[in-house]
Amino acid sequence: NRQDQRRRRMIIGSNSQAAVLGLRLQFVLMYLGTILNRTTDLYGSNYEMMFENCKWLPPQLSAVYYTLHSSFAIRNNWLVHWIQMNYPLSQIMTLMSMIVEFFAPIFLLLCASSSTSSIFPKKMNTILQLGCIVALFSLHFGLLLVMNL
C-alpha cells in the first residue's frame, strides 16, 4: 500500500514538473517570438537594411520615443511628457526593454524550481529568479504607467 502511494506521488510529481517546464518554455518562446517579430523583416532580403531600419536595435533605439509620440494609447501625465522630452532616456528604455525581454525568460527557464535540477547554485538560483521577476514586473509596470493598453 505504501509503495503504491510512493509510485502515485512520483507520477504526480513528474507530471507537474513536466507541466511547469512546458509553461516555462512557452514563456520563453513568447518573449523570444516578440523580439524576433520586432527585429526581423519578413518580406525583405537585405539583412543590413533590416537591422539599420529596426527601431528596436542600435544605432536608433527609438521604439519607445516613437511609441510615446504617437497619439495611440498614451497616458497624459508628467512621466510621459518627461520621457518625450528626453530622447536619450527613451533610447535607454528601449535598450533595457530588449535586454529584459531577451534574458529574463531564458534565465527563468534555466533556474529550475528545485535546487537539484538547476544549473546554478541554490543561492544564485534564488537571486536570478527574483531578479528576473522584478525586472519583468518593472517593465510591465512601466508600460502601465505610460500606456493605456
Side-chain angles (χ1 to χ4, degrees):
N1 195 9
R2 285 187 179 192
Q3 288 180 349
D4 289 339
Q5 288 177 349
R6 284 185 190 162
R7 286 182 190 152
R8 286 185 202 143
R9 286 183 192 153
M10 288 178 61
I11 291 170
I12 291 171
S14 64
N15 287 342
S16 64
Q17 286 178 353
V20 169
L21 180 63
L23 288 172
R24 286 179 184 223
L25 189 58
Q26 179 184 5
F27 185 70
V28 170
L29 293 175
M30 177 184 69
Y31 274 100
L32 293 181
T34 301
I35 290 172
L36 286 173
N37 189 34
R38 288 180 187 158
T39 57
T40 57
D41 181 12
L42 299 176
Y43 305 107
S45 59
N46 188 347
Y47 294 108
E48 291 176 14
M49 288 291 290
M50 178 178 66
F51 287 113
E52 287 176 13
N53 293 332
C54 180
K55 307 283 188 246
W56 287 94
L57 297 174
Q60 291 186 7
L61 292 172
S62 57
V64 170
Y65 177 81
Y66 286 119
T67 301
L68 293 181
H69 277 81
S70 67
S71 61
F72 170 73
I74 62 167
R75 294 185 188 269
N76 189 17
N77 60 29
W78 66 270
L79 183 59
V80 172
H81 298 297
W82 185 59
I83 297 169
Q84 285 174 336
M85 299 302 289
N86 294 306
Y87 182 68
L89 177 64
S90 68
Q91 287 183 307
I92 291 170
M93 291 173 70
T94 303
L95 180 62
M96 292 307 294
S97 70
M98 288 297 284
I99 289 171
V100 166
E101 288 182 337
F102 182 77
F103 286 109
I106 291 173
F107 280 134
L108 283 175
L109 180 66
L110 295 177
C111 295
S113 56
S114 66
S115 60
T116 58
S117 58
S118 176
I119 63 171
F120 302 111
K122 185 176 182 179
K123 196 171 210 174
M124 184 182 211
N125 191 21
T126 305
I127 291 170
L128 278 172
Q129 283 181 342
L130 289 174
C132 291
I133 290 168
V134 167
L136 286 168
F137 176 80
S138 300
L139 174 75
H140 290 97
F141 186 69
L143 286 172
L144 175 71
L145 291 176
V146 297
M147 302 292 289
N148 280 328
L149 296 176

